[in-house]
Amino acid sequence: MQKLFYLYERKGESLSVLLLDVDNMKEINRSGGYAYGNEVLLKISEVISNSIRKSDIAGKYKGSSFLILLPNSDAKGAEKVAKRIKSRIEVLDFNSKVSITIGIYSFVPTGQSVEAVLDLMEAHVAEVKSRGGGDMVLIQKELPKRAIDYQTLIEALKKKLVEPAFQPIYNLESGKIEGYEVLMRLVMEDGRVLPAGCFIKDLLKTSFISPFEEIVLQKAFSKFTAYGLEGKIYVNFPYNFVNFIAKGRFKLLDFYKEVTSYGIEPSRVVLELSEGKMTGSTEDLLELVKEARSYGFGIAVDDFGVEYSSVERLIKTKPDVVKLDGFFLRDARSMLKWVVVGMKRLGFKVVVEQVENEEEFEFIKSLKVDMAQGFYLGEPQLL
């Protein structure tokens, strides 16, 4: 569950959690026996399974309660799901009345722990049950965020606390690692490891995003060589894209020298372009891509399908790899099939991101996708 929090923290997207509890479970067990009580819970679990999307996650929690995770769902959507489940349970043919209480909590993860969220939800559900239960409660209290203030960022920069984490990208045909994407982490002196979602928005408001990126890349190239990692290294193009374009050839030459100083062939480095970070013109982008290719670097388009994705830019850029955002896998599977076919016809290799479970993995394999990345295949690791 914490993995899902980290994932949505990175994406900056909403996540909803439902906590469903049977109010009168003791009476049900007392009147019908434990076998009957188990039958009631089984029927409730079937209702839940038939009332949620394939991308949602549900499971038994404590005692007579269930947890339901609704990725990419706001409070309005979560409330609709809760009402659907509640109404379907209420019409089930039980020997005795079954009353349920559902707690609803919707938020964009920003460092909150799973324990804090569940403690908050349990407290609200218990309060409703103490008044008789049989209701839904929309929890609107904000949990404290794991904030990173300006001074902390300055100290992190001075002490070079920023570290690269390596997430594997698998080739589905060979079953081997194709390469690794480099992700930014802050390793605090108290032992906490903070994903970029905890601090990147605050960092972008400062003037030192570029030094952070430089430290991450230097450490990434050093560790990539020292640990003898296989395949290619995928690195995100700078957040400060306009500044990078302004310095053009000079910056790319510096980057080339940095890469080769670690004994890494430029052909093993793939620059990931995310259009959400780009505010320059298409002409500037194409010039930069042309220059990058002249040094031997590969090009990938990242997070295609969200933000400002442009088919025109994609075709003109002619990337080696297109990384499809997990949005397709979660909410647009019928479209995903045709997007994969179209990309392959254009000659691009396709990576599907955010593969989180076996069912999703088997689905993308059936589409003949080239590569995949996600927590199911491998979490980002500090070396």
Side-chain angles (χ1 to χ4, degrees):
M1 190 169 172
Q2 190 69 62
K3 293 178 184 177
L4 198 64
F5 279 29
Y6 288 151
L7 173 64
Y8 278 78
E9 191 170 298
R10 180 188 171 208
K11 300 296 293 180
E13 295 177 355
S14 60
L15 174 68
S16 293
V17 184
L18 304 184
L19 175 58
L20 181 153
D21 198 6
V22 180
D23 300 322
N24 56 332
M25 199 65 213
K26 286 184 180 179
E27 289 78 5
I28 291 171
N29 286 332
R30 190 180 299 119
S31 63
Y34 286 103
Y36 173 63
N38 288 335
E39 183 183 338
V40 168
L41 293 177
L42 180 60
K43 286 185 177 180
I44 289 175
S45 70
E46 289 173 353
V47 168
I48 293 172
S49 296
N50 293 327
S51 302
I52 60 177
R53 303 167 298 181
K54 288 184 178 180
S55 57
D56 299 331
I57 304 167
K60 188 77 163 45
Y61 187 46
K62 298 176 181 177
S64 59
S65 63
F66 297 83
L67 269 182
I68 306 159
L69 305 181
L70 307 174
N72 209 36
S73 177
D74 59 14
K76 187 176 180 181
E79 194 169 3
K80 187 181 294 185
V81 174
K83 286 180 179 178
R84 183 189 308 138
I85 292 172
K86 192 171 187 298
S87 64
R88 290 179 178 179
I89 290 174
E90 287 173 346
V91 298
L92 288 175
D93 185 19
F94 291 124
N95 294 334
S96 56
K97 181 185 176 183
V98 174
S99 171
I100 64 167
T101 294
I102 303 178
I104 306 166
Y105 188 58
S106 299
F107 66 115
V108 176
T110 50
Q112 299 93 335
S113 69
V114 169
E115 293 78 11
V117 170
L118 295 182
D119 286 348
L120 176 68
M121 296 189 74
E122 286 182 34
H124 278 76
V125 167
E127 183 182 349
V128 174
K129 290 180 68 172
S130 70
R131 300 196 302 266
D135 203 355
M136 298 191 309
V137 54
L138 182 61
I139 303 163
Q140 295 181 312
K141 179 180 177 181
E142 273 201 41
L143 286 168
K145 301 176 182 179
R146 188 166 50 199
I148 299 294
D149 58 32
Y150 185 80
Q151 190 58 42
T152 302
L153 288 173
I154 291 176
E155 288 300 311
L157 179 60
K158 286 180 180 178
K159 297 177 181 179
K160 296 187 176 181
L161 300 180
V162 61
E163 292 285 343
F166 296 83
Q167 185 171 34
I169 300 171
Y170 277 87
N171 184 305
L172 298 191
E173 184 177 355
S174 67
K176 296 180 179 179
I177 293 176
E178 180 80 12
Y180 295 85
E181 180 179 356
V182 175
L183 302 169
M184 190 184 293
R185 297 288 185 265
L186 275 185
V187 181
M188 308 305 289
E189 292 181 305
D190 61 6
R192 289 180 298 153
V193 178
L194 307 185
C198 286
F199 59 87
I200 198 67
K201 289 182 180 178
D202 293 319
L203 186 58
L204 286 170
K205 297 174 185 176
T206 72
S207 60
F208 41 85
I209 177 68
S210 294
F212 263 80
E213 290 177 325
E214 288 170 9
I215 293 170
V216 167
L217 289 178
Q218 287 169 1
K219 289 185 176 183
F221 293 143
S222 175
K223 292 183 177 184
F224 189 76
T225 302
Y227 285 86
L229 296 183
E230 305 172 33
K232 299 184 178 184
I233 181 169
Y234 287 68
V235 298
N236 283 286
F237 229 74
Y239 278 89
N240 195 350
F241 186 74
V242 174
N243 182 51
F244 199 95
I245 283 181
K247 296 185 178 179
R249 294 172 183 268
F250 176 74
K251 291 290 285 185
L252 274 170
L253 178 59
D254 281 353
F255 186 72
Y256 171 81
K257 290 178 179 178
E258 186 78 37
V259 168
T260 54
S261 71
Y262 289 97
I264 301 173
E265 289 292 326
S267 59
R268 295 184 68 195
V269 178
V270 180
L271 300 178
E272 293 192 356
L273 308 171
S274 177
E275 290 197 77
K277 301 172 188 172
M278 300 179 201
T279 54
S281 68
T282 299
E283 290 71 25
D284 287 335
L285 171 63
L286 295 179
E287 184 62 32
L288 200 61
V289 167
K290 180 181 178 182
E291 188 70 18
R293 288 192 188 282
S294 73
Y295 287 109
F297 300 125
I299 300 294
V301 169
D302 191 24
D303 296 332
F304 187 82
V306 296
E307 295 180 330
Y308 307 103
S309 297
S310 163
V311 175
E312 178 191 10
R313 276 192 170 194
L314 180 73
I315 293 173
K316 288 183 176 179
T317 304
K318 298 179 181 177
D320 304 292
V321 176
V322 177
K323 301 183 78 175
L324 301 181
D325 188 80
F327 157 78
F328 288 107
L329 198 52
R330 294 190 307 269
D331 300 310
R333 288 196 176 188
S334 57
M335 185 185 295
L336 177 59
K337 175 182 178 180
W338 301 112
V339 171
V340 171
V341 170
M343 294 297 174
K344 292 172 82 70
R345 284 182 178 173
L346 289 169
F348 308 143
K349 288 189 175 181
V350 177
V351 179
V352 174
E353 300 180 294
Q354 300 165 31
V355 179
E356 305 304 319
N357 55 56
E358 183 178 5
E359 186 274 331
E360 292 177 346
F361 180 61
E362 293 300 326
F363 176 74
I364 63 168
K365 280 174 64 178
S366 72
L367 300 183
K368 307 297 182 184
V369 168
D370 299 293
M371 293 172 276
Q373 177 181 357
F375 275 49
Y376 176 71
L377 298 166
E379 298 180 33
Q381 296 289 332
L382 297 169
L383 300 179

